Amino acid sequence: MIRMEIAMEQQQQRVNDALEKMSQTVELFKLEAIKKENQMLDRIRDALESANATMVNFYKRTSLLEDNLKNAVDDFDYDSKLLSSTLTQNVSEAIGYLHTLEEKAGTPTIAFEAKVLKDLSVSPKTTLVFTEAVFNHGNGYDVKTGVFTCPLNGTYLFTSHLCSNYNSFVCYSFVVDKIMHTSGRLYVKNDYHCTSIDVIAILKDASKVWVQSYASSNFYQESTNWLNTFSGVLLHR
């Protein structure tokens, strides 16, 4: 009986020892799990802090890039306006310099001569149209209208050679900007006859000059000996 009790006590002790070891093992496992969990949490926290720092740094660099870009755009706009203003000033100065050179170079060539009347019998206050331009430097004379339009301010000399028909009158005048200047009348009984007239006029740009019949007139012309002409030349600026 005593032996059985001793054996039971020993068995109970072994069970208690096993439970103690199991308890210690479970406790160690819990501690190890908590340690690993804490380590994992530390890694996550470090990763989040690193990501946050990266985002903050990215925001700062983006803001700096935006500021630099805005400053570059502002500098470019300022430089463009300055360049445009400088170019405009330089071009204006160059044009002025060219005008000065042109004035110093002397009087440009502005001259024309036209012949062949469009109409030989005309009514009063009719502009005589000379249809063929022998030359027309400066393009001031218009063969369609018979009018010279001044392209440049200055002093001009105009001449005209006119021929009357047999037993006919020719009544002529130079007109400058609608004001009659040199005028006269040509008539020779039982013959043809020619005369030359001239006028000196100080003109402004776009002034107009033409030859006009102030009364009914009958002209005569041939291609060789009897020519009606209108000419002009710039004498001085």
Side-chain angles (χ1 to χ4, degrees):
M1 186 70 179
I2 294 173
R3 289 181 178 178
M4 185 177 293
E5 291 177 356
I6 293 172
M8 290 180 67
E9 290 177 358
Q10 291 176 348
Q11 182 66 28
Q12 184 66 41
Q13 183 65 40
R14 286 196 293 271
V15 170
N16 291 337
D17 291 341
L19 290 173
E20 180 68 22
K21 289 181 180 180
M22 184 177 293
S23 177
Q24 292 176 355
T25 301
V26 170
E27 189 67 27
L28 289 173
F29 179 78
K30 288 182 178 180
L31 292 174
E32 185 67 23
I34 292 172
K35 181 179 179 181
K36 290 182 179 181
E37 183 179 353
N38 289 335
Q39 290 176 348
M40 179 62 69
L41 291 174
D42 290 339
R43 291 193 186 116
I44 293 173
R45 182 170 53 253
D46 292 341
L48 290 174
E49 291 177 352
S50 177
N52 183 64
T54 301
M55 290 297 296
V56 171
N57 185 47
F58 176 78
Y59 175 76
K60 290 181 178 179
R61 293 178 62 184
T62 302
S63 299
L64 180 60
L65 180 61
E66 289 178 353
D67 292 340
N68 291 338
L69 181 60
K70 182 178 182 302
N71 292 334
V73 171
D74 292 341
D75 291 342
F76 178 78
D77 183 60
Y78 174 78
D79 292 340
S80 297
K81 291 180 179 178
L82 181 61
L83 178 61
S84 176
S85 175
T86 302
L87 287 175
T88 301
Q89 182 179 354
N90 290 342
V91 169
S92 298
E93 291 177 354
I95 292 174
Y97 179 68
L98 289 175
H99 286 166
T100 301
L101 289 179
E102 184 182 36
E103 291 176 356
K104 291 181 179 180
T107 302
T109 300
I110 297 178
F112 75 94
E113 182 180 354
K115 61 181 182 178
V116 183
L117 279 172
K118 178 181 179 181
D119 299 309
L120 297 180
S121 295
V122 297
S123 57
K125 296 184 179 180
T126 298
T127 299
L128 304 183
V129 179
F130 301 82
T131 60
E132 295 183 15
V134 180
F135 55 85
N136 191 14
H137 299 297
N139 296 317
Y141 180 74
D142 188 341
V143 296
K144 294 182 180 180
T145 63
V147 177
F148 171 80
T149 302
C150 177
L152 190 67
N153 298 351
T155 302
Y156 288 79
L157 169 66
F158 297 95
T159 62
S160 183
H161 186 74
L162 302 172
C163 299
S164 63
N165 209 338
Y166 194 82
N167 282 337
S168 298
F169 284 96
V170 165
C171 302
Y172 54 84
S173 61
F174 266 120
V175 181
V176 179
D177 289 331
K178 299 182 180 181
I179 298 176
M180 186 183 298
H181 285 245
T182 303
S183 62
R185 185 177 67 174
L186 175 64
Y187 174 78
V188 175
K189 186 177 181 180
N190 299 326
D191 201 358
Y192 305 96
H193 194 68
C194 296
T195 189
S196 294
I197 57 174
D198 60 68
V199 64
I200 294 177
I202 299 175
L203 304 181
K204 295 182 179 180
D205 184 31
S207 289
K208 297 183 182 300
V209 180
W210 63 91
V211 184
Q212 175 180 287
S213 62
Y214 67 82
S216 297
S217 300
N218 291 291
F219 297 89
Y220 179 75
Q221 69 183 6
E222 292 182 2
S223 60
T224 54
N225 297 326
W226 302 81
L227 286 175
N228 297 281
T229 64
F230 176 32
S231 60
V233 62
L234 172 62
L235 300 177
H236 181 70
R237 291 188 62 183

